[in-house]
Amino acid sequence: MACLSPSQLQKFQEDGFLVLEGFLSADECVAMQQRIGELVADMDVPLHCRIEFSTQEEEQLRSQGKEDYFLSSGDKIRFFFEKGVFDEKGNFLVPPEKSINKIGHALHAHDPVFRHVTHSPKVQALAKSLGLQMPVVVQSMYIFKQPHFGGEVSPHQDSTFLYTEPLGRVLGMWIALEDATLENGCLWFIPGSHTGGVSRRMVRAFAGLKLNTRFLGSEPVWDDSLFVPTPVQRGALILIHGEVVHKSEQNLSDRSRHAYTFHLMESLGTMWSPENWLQPTAELPFPPLYT
């Protein structure tokens, strides 16, 4: 079972992230990649729903932050694309399977392969060793980081988008399905940056009767020298505290960097902000991790 040792738990508490190499086998990684290939082969996204995904604030608000296709994706499986892959009419300029940035945000709920991984005994044992008593799964994503133009993910805290009171109740589990290297866009972290609160929040807003989003606060200009690269091999899992600052660079290599990531929230004694862009629905309440 994937239980943390006391020294691993201490390191996670100090740094705000922790690498667990060999968490999944090669066969488990292949099974997820094969399943995502089937979803991509069957995808049918209408022209008006083809959204280019970005982590840049102005582009977030201009594109996905005001589109129902994104804002209502918390209980669905939906497709989001890299910048520059469409012509002015929304037609693909590259093969569709090479255009996707990510698939989200409820793979854990609707797809049996990803549900099995998310609720696996290994994940449950890991959550218990972290002291989580009543964790729920709030979202999941498959990230492609396409060769040559997989987009940069700017420095951010996950709790900017998944805010709770009190803080410290959100945990990311990021699983490398391919080697994540310096060349193809591995994660970078600022160790210890999870102790300073949340500098920026994305909140729900309305323009008339239309749901929209806006940001409260602003992201500091982080010193690049503070970031530590975290290359990992296929099958590794990285634990990510909700307030730790992290990023990834653009993938300019000829190798993709597939990853599956999902977020847990300790629901005991926690308020999920009603201002978060993502809200549980009657059709899909946040499912308990422990089954």
Side-chain angles (χ1 to χ4, degrees), residues 197-209:
V198 173
S199 57
R200 184 177 65 129
R201 287 180 58 198
M202 179 189 238
V203 300
R204 295 159 70 92
F206 285 88
L209 297 176

Side-chain angles (χ1 to χ4, degrees), residues 171-227:
L171 173 72
M173 293 197 177
W174 190 97
I175 302 172
L177 302 182
E178 298 177 317
D179 292 350
T181 67
L182 290 172
E183 292 74 28
N184 71 0
C186 69
L187 299 182
W188 295 63
F189 293 89
I190 300 181
S193 58
H194 60 300
T195 61
V198 173
S199 57
R200 184 177 65 129
R201 287 180 58 198
M202 179 189 238
V203 300
R204 295 159 70 92
F206 285 88
L209 297 176
K210 183 174 175 57
L211 179 62
N212 210 322
T213 58
R214 63 189 178 97
F215 281 98
L216 302 177
S218 60
E219 195 69 32
V221 178
W222 299 102
D223 183 346
D224 273 346
S225 68
L226 298 176
F227 285 92

Side-chain angles (χ1 to χ4, degrees), residues 145-158:
K145 206 74 165 177
Q146 301 282 4
H148 304 297
F149 57 86
E152 168 195 11
V153 176
S154 57
H156 69 283
Q157 300 166 289
D158 290 344

Side-chain angles (χ1 to χ4, degrees), residues 13 24 32 39-40 71 82 100 115 119 130 136 158 181 183 188 207 246 261 270 282 286:
Q13 292 169 340
L24 292 188
M32 282 192 281
L39 292 176
V40 170
L71 292 171
E82 294 287 357
I100 304 176
R115 184 188 304 118
H119 294 273
L130 285 160
V136 295
D158 290 344
T181 67
E183 292 74 28
W188 295 63
H246 57 291
T261 182
T270 306
F286 292 153

Side-chain angles (χ1 to χ4, degrees), residues 68-277:
D68 180 71
Y69 185 79
F70 172 81
L71 292 171
S72 64
S73 65
D75 60 354
K76 302 175 182 66
I77 296 176
R78 287 189 167 166
F79 302 82
F80 303 93
F81 300 92
E82 294 287 357
K83 292 191 292 184
V85 299
F86 300 122
D87 65 18
E88 66 279 0
K89 296 181 180 179
N91 298 307
F92 288 104
L93 295 171
V94 298
E97 68 275 10
K98 298 296 185 184
S99 68
I100 304 176
N101 175 288
K102 71 173 186 176
I103 299 175
H105 290 89
L107 285 162
H108 64 278
H110 295 304
D111 188 90
V113 172
F114 290 93
R115 184 188 304 118
H116 175 75
V117 172
T118 306
H119 294 273
S120 68
K122 284 188 286 192
V123 169
Q124 294 189 33
L126 180 55
K128 287 176 180 176
S129 72
L130 285 160
L132 299 182
Q133 299 180 57
M134 296 176 59
V136 295
V137 187
V138 299
Q139 72 164 6
S140 56
M141 298 178 286
Y142 191 101
I143 303 169
F144 291 79
K145 206 74 165 177
Q146 301 282 4
H148 304 297
F149 57 86
E152 168 195 11
V153 176
S154 57
H156 69 283
Q157 300 166 289
D158 290 344
S159 290
T160 286
F161 310 96
L162 310 173
Y163 186 80
T164 64
E165 293 182 359
L167 286 170
R169 303 304 180 94
V170 169
L171 173 72
M173 293 197 177
W174 190 97
I175 302 172
L177 302 182
E178 298 177 317
D179 292 350
T181 67
L182 290 172
E183 292 74 28
N184 71 0
C186 69
L187 299 182
W188 295 63
F189 293 89
I190 300 181
S193 58
H194 60 300
T195 61
V198 173
S199 57
R200 184 177 65 129
R201 287 180 58 198
M202 179 189 238
V203 300
R204 295 159 70 92
F206 285 88
L209 297 176
K210 183 174 175 57
L211 179 62
N212 210 322
T213 58
R214 63 189 178 97
F215 281 98
L216 302 177
S218 60
E219 195 69 32
V221 178
W222 299 102
D223 183 346
D224 273 346
S225 68
L226 298 176
F227 285 92
V228 174
T230 312
V232 294
Q233 294 183 331
R234 178 189 222 180
L237 182 146
I238 304 179
L239 291 175
I240 304 176
H241 190 286
E243 282 92 73
V244 73
V245 178
H246 57 291
K247 67 173 184 174
S248 66
E249 303 293 345
Q250 186 177 5
N251 182 6
L252 299 177
S253 78
D254 59 2
R255 298 179 60 191
S256 59
R257 192 224 64 187
H258 288 200
Y260 175 58
T261 182
F262 56 95
H263 286 86
L264 306 178
M265 178 187 71
E266 171 57 80
S267 65
L268 185 63
T270 306
M271 186 193 78
W272 178 258
S273 174
E275 294 183 315
N276 285 340
W277 77 269

